Short mmCIF file of all heavy atoms in Angstrom, two decimals:
data_model
loop_
_atom_site.label_atom_id
_atom_site.label_comp_id
_atom_site.label_asym_id
_atom_site.label_seq_id
_atom_site.Cartn_x
_atom_site.Cartn_y
_atom_site.Cartn_z
N CYS M 129 122.40 115.66 111.69
CA CYS M 129 121.75 114.51 112.30
C CYS M 129 121.69 114.70 113.80
O CYS M 129 122.59 115.26 114.41
CB CYS M 129 122.52 113.26 111.93
SG CYS M 129 121.76 111.77 112.53
N MET M 131 121.44 112.05 115.92
CA MET M 131 121.71 110.87 116.58
C MET M 131 123.03 110.80 117.30
O MET M 131 123.22 109.93 118.17
CB MET M 131 121.59 109.67 115.62
CG MET M 131 120.23 109.54 114.92
SD MET M 131 118.94 109.20 116.12
CE MET M 131 117.60 110.16 115.54
N GLY M 132 123.96 111.65 116.97
CA GLY M 132 125.21 111.83 117.72
C GLY M 132 126.14 110.66 117.81
O GLY M 132 126.81 110.43 118.87
N CYS M 133 126.24 109.79 116.77
CA CYS M 133 127.17 108.69 116.83
C CYS M 133 128.61 109.28 116.92
O CYS M 133 128.89 110.24 116.15
CB CYS M 133 127.06 107.79 115.62
SG CYS M 133 125.41 107.15 115.41
N PHE M 135 131.57 108.32 116.06
CA PHE M 135 132.56 108.21 115.00
C PHE M 135 132.22 109.00 113.73
O PHE M 135 132.95 108.95 112.79
CB PHE M 135 132.79 106.68 114.61
CG PHE M 135 131.35 106.02 114.44
CD1 PHE M 135 130.60 106.25 113.29
CD2 PHE M 135 130.84 105.28 115.50
CE1 PHE M 135 129.37 105.66 113.18
CE2 PHE M 135 129.55 104.67 115.31
CZ PHE M 135 128.81 104.84 114.20
N CYS M 136 131.08 109.63 113.75
CA CYS M 136 130.54 110.15 112.52
C CYS M 136 130.68 111.70 112.41
O CYS M 136 130.29 112.36 113.39
CB CYS M 136 129.01 109.78 112.47
SG CYS M 136 128.13 110.53 111.10
N THR M 138 129.01 113.72 110.53
CA THR M 138 127.69 114.40 110.51
C THR M 138 127.22 114.57 111.88
O THR M 138 126.68 115.62 112.32
CB THR M 138 126.74 113.51 109.66
OG1 THR M 138 127.26 113.30 108.39
CG2 THR M 138 125.39 114.21 109.55
N GLY M 139 127.30 113.44 112.65
CA GLY M 139 126.78 113.47 114.06
C GLY M 139 127.49 114.54 114.88
O GLY M 139 126.89 115.17 115.73
N GLY M 174 123.79 109.11 103.13
CA GLY M 174 124.59 110.40 103.31
C GLY M 174 124.26 110.95 104.67
O GLY M 174 124.18 110.27 105.61
N GLY M 176 122.43 112.43 107.78
CA GLY M 176 121.08 112.31 108.37
C GLY M 176 120.64 110.90 108.56
O GLY M 176 121.18 109.98 108.08
N GLU M 177 119.60 110.83 109.40
CA GLU M 177 118.95 109.52 109.73
C GLU M 177 117.63 109.49 109.02
O GLU M 177 116.66 110.15 109.42
CB GLU M 177 118.81 109.40 111.28
CG GLU M 177 117.95 108.23 111.74
CD GLU M 177 118.27 106.88 111.10
OE1 GLU M 177 119.45 106.60 111.07
OE2 GLU M 177 117.29 106.23 110.66
N CYS M 210 120.30 103.90 111.76
CA CYS M 210 121.05 103.55 112.95
C CYS M 210 120.23 102.66 113.85
O CYS M 210 120.72 102.18 114.90
CB CYS M 210 121.44 104.85 113.71
SG CYS M 210 120.04 105.77 114.28
FE1 SF4 H 408 123.47 110.19 112.25
FE2 SF4 H 408 124.05 107.96 110.93
FE3 SF4 H 408 125.97 109.67 111.56
FE4 SF4 H 408 124.80 108.22 113.45
S1 SF4 H 408 126.04 107.43 111.70
S2 SF4 H 408 125.26 110.39 113.55
S3 SF4 H 408 122.74 108.13 112.66
S4 SF4 H 408 124.27 110.03 110.18
#
Side-chain angles (χ1 to χ4, degrees):
C129 184
M131 301 297 143
C133 304
F135 46 78
C136 173
T138 303
E177 168 49 48
C210 64

